[in-house]
Amino acid sequence: MAIEGLTEEQIQAAAESVQVHKFGGSSLADAFCYRRVARIVTEYAGASDVVVVSAAGDTTNRILAILTASKQAGDTATILLDQLESFQQGLISELLSGELEQQLLALSKEDFARFRRFVAGEETITGDAELLSYGELWSARLLAALLRKQGTRAEHIDARDFLRAEDAPEPIIQEPESRAELLRRVAPFPGTRFIVTGFIARGLNNESLTLGRNGSDYSATLVGSLLNVKQVTIWKDVAGVYSADPRKIERVVSLPSLDWAEAEELARLGSPVLHPRTFQPVNRERMVISVRSSLKVENQQTRIGQFEHTEPRGKVFTSLSEVVLFKVELNDKALVDKLNELDLEPLFAWTEPENHQQYLVFHQNHLEYISRWLEQIDVGNTVTQIRGYSMVALVGNRIQETDQYTTFKLQLGEQKVRRFGLGENGNSAIAILEQQLDSRLLNRLHSQLFNYRRSLGVLVLGRGNIGTAWLELFKQQRDRINQMMDVRVIGIANSKRLWLDYSGVELSDWTSNFDRLARPYVLTELLRELPNAPYDELVILDLTDAKPVAQLYPSLFANGLHIISANKRAGSAEESLYREIRTIQHEYKREWLYNTTVGAGLPLNYAINDLRGQGDEIRSISGIFSGTMSWLFENFNAETKFSDLVAEAKQRGYSEPDPREDLSCQDLVRKLLILAREIGLNLDWEDINVNSLVPEHLQNISAEQFMQRLNELDEPMDAMLQEAAKDGKVPRLLASFSVTDEKRVKAQIGIEYIPEGDMLANLIPGENIFVIYTDWYSEMPLVISGPGAGKHVTAGGVQSDLNQLLARLSAAT
């Protein structure tokens, strides 16, 4: 459709680039809420998006109270008006400053001066809508000014400047004219966020009209329809639509999606989140409605649209504690015809031909409207009102084809069911009960209907080589993993920035999404929020080498998180911290898996625990525990300089950034401590005899200086190589500990000379080997060997730990 003053390109650009966001009164209740909404608009709305707002807090109710009081004697109206003015101008002064504050205060004073003239009888204002419209106007004006103060291009639009409607109980929108006016206002200004008043429109006689309660949600989808946008996001104080009302049911699950038919049926049956009028303007083939929480932005959202995934399934259990039945005598055909024309669809209806009666069930909120209508048509005794009934319903696509339908019907067998049947469109099963509802009945019905898989949220700390490899591995194995539990990666973080999305981060292009969406964070502050994530269980994958993260393990456990760790700093911490970690872990019954801290992906810890679980006793463990040192010594010979190998290992990423971490054996000490503690030994750093390969004069210089003086390692290393060769041996860096019968522990790390034919002398470069002697393996040891480093094998080890965690959590339910 051509619109004067606009090109087709501008109209199409608006349809493709603009989305609509809606914030209700509770989202704008005070100055703190305004700032939160401004942050959401800045961070989660596009630069050209449109925002529809309601009146702040209870402003609409306050105006209604003033209108009522103005018709009565006394000064109540003036007092209420003073209070409202103080509230509105207080918001302005708290949120704005300078010229912006003065501009809005001046406009506010003009508005309240008009109010005062009306209350004093000095100005006649026809209809309540004109004064009610100020609530939305104040919100839009203030939010736009706040955004401008924060450096965002924003303007407010009074919906009466574009939205034309014919006055009626539900105003009839003049779509062509309204669409043209709105596009003229929005389309030429890409890069500006427009804040639009909800709830109000302009009548054909230039009067103000209101769109009724829930009119702002309707305004949002109406504006979206006029602009032909692809998505409207309705921000509420709940995280989408749940499997039941969380105020009534203890254990509910948020739903990722609903199709149009399901959402409309749920709204028709009285959902507190959705209103039927919201769906009226929607182009169902193009638009998606997203319901999100403005209180916890990262929480899961519910997307409502036309989806291909439409297998039969009950999604929402809903209830009304009181409904009203009207019994209609069918012999009054004229009345029956009038009832069929009533502009209000009953929740449920049925006919009993044998009694010549029809029953209509309505929401308690509609009682006054229906009673007035019946009085007007003078029905006499042919309609009887019946109270004391309630309703429960199960909403879902093709509900009769589901097992839940049968379960629902059977579970209601012991209740006083007046009528059970399907909704007209087949997307709901409805039961009318001749009894009161109590929480025990509702919770029992919900738990029987929804046997959801338990859910696990995964927060990945560390997005380096191992983190990147694990995310790719998880993406490949996600379908298999999700057969055990609903597992979602809810966050990815490095040391400074975090990308958090409680509905699950999109992994298909996560690196670019991280760059775009990650925000600065502090882990200690994040801990206060994570326990509120909508998951049954939470786990942190600590893929860092950060000591500060390890020091927070007690807090992580205390906040209900499990830990899978590739970080050796916690398992090898000083004895006091290690014991604190273990104590808190056991107290809060959390899982801590860390197989990759020793041997990367090798199943070393599992083998040790399995032996001990069978009753065996570990007597000693020795071997080559470092993939880096294995690579260095397997490549070290008379023709090769040791310093060149160290430089190459650093260049290839085999060593730590400062190779002295490997050469000084600190990494090996950590691994030895972890293994010893795994079998219950009390071992600390000072208990291990360590022979470092870093000469004393190179220990305290910078890493850069050390790399420049690497050749100073060559002389002592060459001497060591020659000394070993005299007896047909080669030097290898071994770690070991052994336990005597008196439970005394001997632990050491250092160079040992190994015969050239020994298995310890003939590893593949980078290979680890663990030689384990036990009571049962006393003559011939248990040997575990394989790659001891590498991002892929380590990622595989992390995945193995995750599988172990899932198995333990499943077994615990």
Side-chain angles (χ1 to χ4, degrees):
M1 173 181 127
I3 297 176
E4 185 179 351
L6 295 176
T7 66
E8 275 301 318
E9 289 75 14
Q10 287 176 313
I11 296 171
Q12 187 61 29
E16 294 301 320
S17 64
V18 174
Q19 292 187 11
V20 175
H21 301 258
K22 182 265 174 178
F23 294 92
S26 61
S27 295
L28 298 164
D30 53 33
F32 176 82
C33 293
Y34 265 90
R35 292 189 183 98
R36 180 170 56 210
V37 168
R39 181 179 68 82
I40 293 172
V41 171
T42 302
E43 296 184 6
Y44 293 89
S48 303
D49 283 1
V50 171
V51 179
V52 175
V53 293
S54 299
D58 61 352
T59 296
T60 298
N61 288 333
R62 290 192 186 202
I63 295 175
L64 285 170
I66 293 168
L67 292 173
T68 300
S70 69
K71 300 170 186 175
Q72 302 167 352
D75 57 0
T76 301
T78 301
I79 294 171
L80 294 175
L81 189 57
D82 289 343
Q83 293 172 347
L84 180 59
E85 183 175 21
S86 176
F87 170 66
Q88 289 292 334
Q89 294 182 1
L91 287 175
I92 294 170
S93 295
E94 188 169 350
L95 292 170
L96 304 178
S97 59
E99 186 177 348
L100 277 173
E101 179 188 7
Q102 295 308 313
Q103 288 175 353
L104 257 68
L105 284 175
L107 291 171
S108 178
K109 289 173 183 176
E110 289 179 15
D111 296 338
F112 279 99
R114 188 184 184 203
F115 257 96
R116 294 186 188 285
R117 291 195 299 272
F118 166 76
V119 168
E122 298 170 1
E123 180 175 344
T124 300
I125 299 176
T126 304
D128 294 346
E130 178 70 16
L131 291 175
L132 286 171
S133 65
Y134 276 111
E136 272 66 23
L137 180 60
W138 293 332
S139 288
R141 209 157 59 188
L142 179 53
L143 181 58
L146 176 59
L147 288 168
R148 289 199 298 275
K149 176 190 173 185
Q150 296 175 348
T152 299
R153 287 173 56 186
E155 299 290 342
H156 83 276
I157 301 177
D158 187 333
R160 292 170 295 183
D161 291 343
F162 68 84
L163 196 55
R164 297 288 182 268
E166 181 182 344
D167 194 8
E170 288 189 2
I172 303 167
I173 304 301
Q174 310 299 295
E175 290 191 21
E177 181 182 354
S178 298
R179 180 171 186 262
E181 290 298 329
L182 176 58
L183 279 166
R184 288 192 191 99
R185 187 69 180 85
V186 171
F189 305 101
T192 299
R193 292 175 172 90
F194 287 100
I195 316 301
V196 178
T197 59
F199 183 60
I200 56 177
R202 181 73 69 190
L204 301 184
N205 296 317
N206 211 36
E207 76 278 23
S208 293
L209 300 177
T210 62
L211 302 177
R213 289 303 176 104
N214 295 103
S216 291
D217 283 2
Y218 169 60
S219 296
T221 53
L222 178 59
V223 167
S225 176
L226 295 175
L227 293 172
N228 196 29
V229 303
K230 293 179 180 179
Q231 178 165 311
V232 173
T233 301
I234 299 177
W235 297 87
K236 293 183 173 288
D237 53 6
V238 293
V241 181
Y242 293 92
S243 58
D245 187 341
R247 297 170 301 180
K248 301 177 182 178
I249 307 296
E250 294 175 358
R251 187 177 178 83
V252 297
V253 178
S254 57
L255 302 173
S257 66
L258 287 172
D259 67 30
W260 291 118
E262 293 168 329
E264 288 177 297
E265 182 66 358
L266 183 59
R268 190 186 70 81
L269 293 173
S271 164
V273 177
L274 305 169
H275 191 276
R277 290 189 67 206
T278 304
F279 305 109
Q280 288 180 5
V282 169
N283 178 347
R284 284 155 178 73
E285 294 183 358
R286 177 174 172 83
M287 188 185 293
V288 169
I289 295 177
S290 174
V291 183
R292 298 185 69 171
S293 170
S294 61
L295 303 181
K296 293 187 177 298
V297 178
E298 296 84 2
N299 278 15
Q300 180 168 307
Q301 59 187 292
T302 301
R303 291 173 61 79
I304 302 169
Q306 185 166 294
F307 303 116
E308 297 178 2
H309 187 62
T310 57
E311 82 274 10
R313 183 162 75 90
K315 290 187 176 179
V316 184
F317 172 65
T318 187
S319 63
L320 292 172
S321 58
E322 187 172 4
V323 295
V324 182
L325 272 66
F326 287 93
K327 182 176 69 174
V328 181
E329 302 296 333
L330 290 176
N331 53 15
D332 189 341
K333 189 175 184 309
L335 173 61
V336 173
D337 291 341
K338 288 182 179 179
L339 282 169
N340 290 333
E341 296 171 2
L342 177 63
D343 189 24
L344 183 64
E345 183 182 359
L347 298 169
F348 196 42
W350 71 90
T351 301
E352 296 180 356
E354 67 278 11
N355 298 323
H356 303 286
Q357 293 170 344
Q358 181 182 31
Y359 288 84
L360 305 174
V361 183
F362 290 96
H363 195 294
Q364 171 69 17
N365 293 348
H366 297 145
L367 176 59
E368 183 180 349
Y369 172 81
I370 298 168
S371 298
R372 283 202 312 267
W373 182 83
L374 291 173
E375 288 175 6
Q376 290 171 0
I377 62 173
D378 190 21
V379 296
N381 297 323
T382 56
V383 176
T384 304
Q385 182 187 130
I386 310 174
R387 306 289 293 271
Y389 283 76
S390 57
M391 182 202 79
V392 290
L394 178 63
V395 177
N397 191 23
R398 305 193 329 261
I399 197 68
Q400 194 172 17
E401 301 175 30
T402 68
D403 293 338
Q404 293 158 298
Y405 176 82
T406 305
T407 301
F408 189 36
K409 197 170 184 179
L410 288 172
Q411 290 295 321
L412 289 169
E414 299 178 2
Q415 309 306 317
K416 297 177 183 178
V417 180
R418 179 67 179 84
R419 193 76 177 184
F420 181 90
L422 292 171
E424 186 175 346
N425 59 12
N427 287 326
S428 63
I430 302 170
I432 305 301
L433 307 181
E434 193 176 352
Q435 66 186 63
Q436 290 185 336
L437 300 178
D438 61 53
S439 61
R440 287 177 300 176
L441 171 62
L442 296 176
N443 278 282
R444 181 170 62 80
L445 287 171
H446 180 267
S447 65
Q448 292 292 330
L449 291 169
F450 297 101
N451 184 22
Y452 280 104
R453 290 173 302 150
R454 300 180 75 231
S455 58
L456 175 70
V458 181
L459 175 61
V460 181
L461 293 184
R463 49 156 299 186
N465 289 334
I466 298 172
T468 299
W470 180 81
L471 287 165
E472 185 61 34
L473 182 62
F474 175 78
K475 190 165 58 174
Q476 296 168 8
Q477 298 189 1
R478 182 162 41 188
D479 290 344
R480 181 185 60 78
I481 293 168
N482 281 350
Q483 292 175 8
M484 301 174 67
M485 288 181 73
D486 181 10
V487 182
R488 302 187 190 187
V489 176
I490 62 171
I492 302 171
N494 58 21
S495 60
K496 296 180 179 178
R497 300 174 70 229
L498 165 72
W499 174 27
L500 188 67
D501 186 338
Y502 284 153
S503 61
V505 300
E506 177 53 56
L507 296 177
S508 59
D509 189 19
W510 72 265
T511 51
S512 61
N513 283 330
F514 183 92
D515 293 339
R516 183 170 58 90
L517 298 172
R519 298 287 182 267
Y521 81 108
V522 177
L523 186 55
T524 51
E525 295 178 1
L526 180 64
L527 278 180
R528 293 196 290 269
E529 178 185 331
L530 281 176
N532 297 319
Y535 289 86
D536 297 303
E537 305 283 354
L538 292 169
V539 61
I540 278 190
L541 268 56
D542 179 9
L543 309 183
T544 73
D545 186 39
K547 188 174 182 179
V549 176
Q551 291 171 334
L552 285 175
Y553 278 23
S555 295
L556 294 173
F557 288 135
N559 280 279
L561 283 82
H562 305 286
I563 300 175
I564 291 174
S565 179
N567 183 352
K568 295 184 279 290
R569 304 283 178 165
S572 62
E574 58 274 11
E575 183 76 11
S576 59
L577 175 57
Y578 180 76
R579 291 301 161 200
E580 181 187 1
I581 292 171
R582 282 299 191 192
T583 300
I584 300 298
Q585 179 206 350
H586 293 145
E587 180 180 346
Y588 286 89
K589 296 180 173 61
R590 299 294 89 189
E591 298 290 346
W592 180 19
L593 298 119
Y594 45 85
N595 188 61
T596 56
T597 56
V598 184
L602 297 176
L604 180 62
N605 282 356
Y606 299 141
I608 292 172
N609 286 321
D610 196 38
L611 288 171
R612 298 186 72 220
Q614 297 170 31
D616 200 359
E617 287 291 334
I618 310 293
R619 294 303 175 184
S620 71
I621 302 178
S622 62
I624 296 174
F625 296 1
S626 167
T628 303
M629 301 311 292
S630 168
W631 186 88
L632 286 173
F633 278 97
E634 290 296 336
N635 285 294
F636 182 39
N637 53 52
E639 288 76 39
T640 307
K641 286 186 177 181
F642 192 77
S643 59
D644 290 343
L645 290 173
V646 173
E648 184 178 351
K650 183 179 187 316
Q651 189 268 329
R652 291 190 179 201
Y654 294 166
S655 74
E656 296 295 329
D658 184 345
R660 283 176 298 183
E661 189 78 8
D662 300 292
L663 298 172
S664 66
C665 305
Q666 296 302 296
D667 186 57
L668 283 173
V669 171
R670 296 189 185 100
K671 293 177 179 180
L672 198 61
L673 282 170
I674 291 168
L675 282 180
R677 289 168 173 175
E678 186 69 11
I679 65 172
L681 301 178
N682 293 322
L683 198 67
D684 215 336
W685 285 75
E686 63 270 15
D687 301 322
I688 302 174
N689 183 20
V690 180
N691 293 309
S692 171
L693 299 184
V694 181
E696 187 175 346
H697 67 279
L698 297 179
Q699 289 177 2
N700 297 317
I701 61 177
S702 69
E704 183 179 357
Q705 289 174 320
F706 173 72
M707 293 305 296
Q708 293 172 350
R709 297 172 62 180
L710 269 182
N711 60 354
E712 296 178 35
L713 296 175
D714 290 333
E715 184 177 344
M717 293 303 298
D718 286 342
M720 188 185 300
L721 188 67
Q722 294 166 14
E723 181 68 22
K726 292 177 182 178
D727 299 320
K729 297 181 179 181
V730 291
R732 293 292 184 264
L733 183 64
L734 268 62
S736 66
F737 70 83
S738 58
V739 186
T740 67
D741 291 335
E742 294 79 26
K743 300 296 183 182
R744 296 182 62 184
V745 183
K746 180 182 180 182
Q748 59 187 21
I749 300 171
I751 294 294
E752 294 188 26
Y753 296 160
I754 307 297
E756 290 184 351
D758 192 283
M759 61 180 177
L760 293 173
N762 291 279
L763 302 180
I764 298 171
E767 184 179 0
N768 277 188
I769 186 167
F770 300 89
V771 181
I772 305 170
Y773 283 93
T774 73
D775 286 349
W776 297 350
Y777 292 85
S778 57
E779 296 183 4
M780 182 177 294
L782 174 65
V783 177
I784 298 174
S785 66
K791 61 182 181 181
H792 294 297
V793 293
T794 306
V798 171
Q799 185 59 46
S800 177
D801 278 349
L802 179 60
N803 290 335
Q804 287 284 330
L805 176 64
L806 293 173
R808 294 181 189 183
L809 294 177
S810 298
T813 58

